[in-house]
Amino acid sequence: MQLLHLDSSALGAASVSRQLTAEIVARQKALHPDIAVTYRDLAADPALHLTGAHMAARMGATSDDATINADLVKGNAYMDELFAADVLVIGAPMYNLSIPTPLKAWIDRVAVAGKTFQYTATGPQGLLTGKKAFIASARGGVYSAGSPAAALEHQESYLIGLLAFLGVTDVKVVRAEGIAFGPQAKDAAIAKALQDIEAIAA
C-alpha cells in the first residue's frame, strides 16, 4: 500500500496544514502498518509554473533548456508518484481564497488529458480509480457552508472538484478554520481537526 503525502504551506513549522497532514499520515500508518510513504514538500521544492515549453513537450517537442528539462523530469516523477499511490494526503491552506501556487503547479503536471483523464462523447472521464484522498484544510477565516463568506471559498471545493475530475471521489476533508481569530479560536479549530483525524477508521 502506497501513500503520497503533499505539503504546500509556505509557513514551515508554523503551518497548521502541515500539522494536520502529519497527523493524518500517522493515523494511516497506525491503520495500515505496511503502508509506504512518498513525501513531497511542494513549497520547499516547487515545480515551475506551466509554460508554452511544457505544453510543447507534451506534444512531443524537444527542449534544449536545462531548466525546463529538469522541470519536465520533476513533472514526470509527480505523475509516477500519483499513479503509484493508493492514498493521497494533501496539505492545502487557503491563500487568497484558493490554494497555494506550488500545489496548483503540481496539479498542472498531473491533470493531463490522455493520462489522468480523457474526453469522451459524453464528457470528461477520470482515469484515476481505486484511490482515496484526505485534504488537510487550514484557513484564517470561516468559509464553510452556511457562513457569510461561503461563496468566496475556492480552495476545498476546487480540490474536491479537481480530484473527482481525475476519478478520485473518495475524499475526506479535515478542516481547521477561523485560525486567525485569536489563539483560543486557533487552538479550538486544531483540536477539532485532530479529533476528526483520530476518528478516521480506514
Side-chain angles (χ1 to χ4, degrees), residues 30-167:
L31 292 168
H32 310 286
D34 63 334
I35 203 164
V37 178
T38 298
Y39 179 64
R40 285 277 182 180
D41 188 334
L42 301 177
D45 183 26
L48 299 176
H49 292 293
L50 202 62
T51 67
H54 291 92
M55 301 300 288
R58 286 182 183 173
M59 303 301 292
T62 59
S63 168
D64 58 5
D65 185 320
T67 300
I68 290 292
N69 288 339
D71 197 64
L72 291 170
V73 170
K74 180 182 289 184
N76 289 338
Y78 285 175
M79 187 75 80
D80 291 343
E81 291 161 1
L82 176 60
F83 273 111
D86 303 291
V87 180
L88 311 176
V89 177
I90 303 172
M94 176 184 274
Y95 285 6
N96 297 317
L97 309 181
S98 187
I99 62 173
T101 56
L103 181 53
K104 180 58 166 65
W106 179 85
I107 289 168
D108 287 340
R109 295 308 189 284
V110 301
V112 179
K115 293 187 176 182
T116 51
F117 72 94
Q118 64 185 1
Y119 292 106
T120 72
T122 56
Q125 177 187 37
L127 299 177
L128 298 179
T129 58
K131 301 181 188 297
K132 66 179 177 181
F134 297 91
I135 297 170
S137 169
R139 45 208 196 192
V142 175
Y143 299 88
S144 48
S147 70
L152 299 176
E153 191 279 300
H154 307 291
Q155 166 218 15
E156 294 174 10
S157 56
Y158 170 70
L159 287 172
I160 292 168
L162 183 281
L163 289 168
F165 185 82
L166 301 182

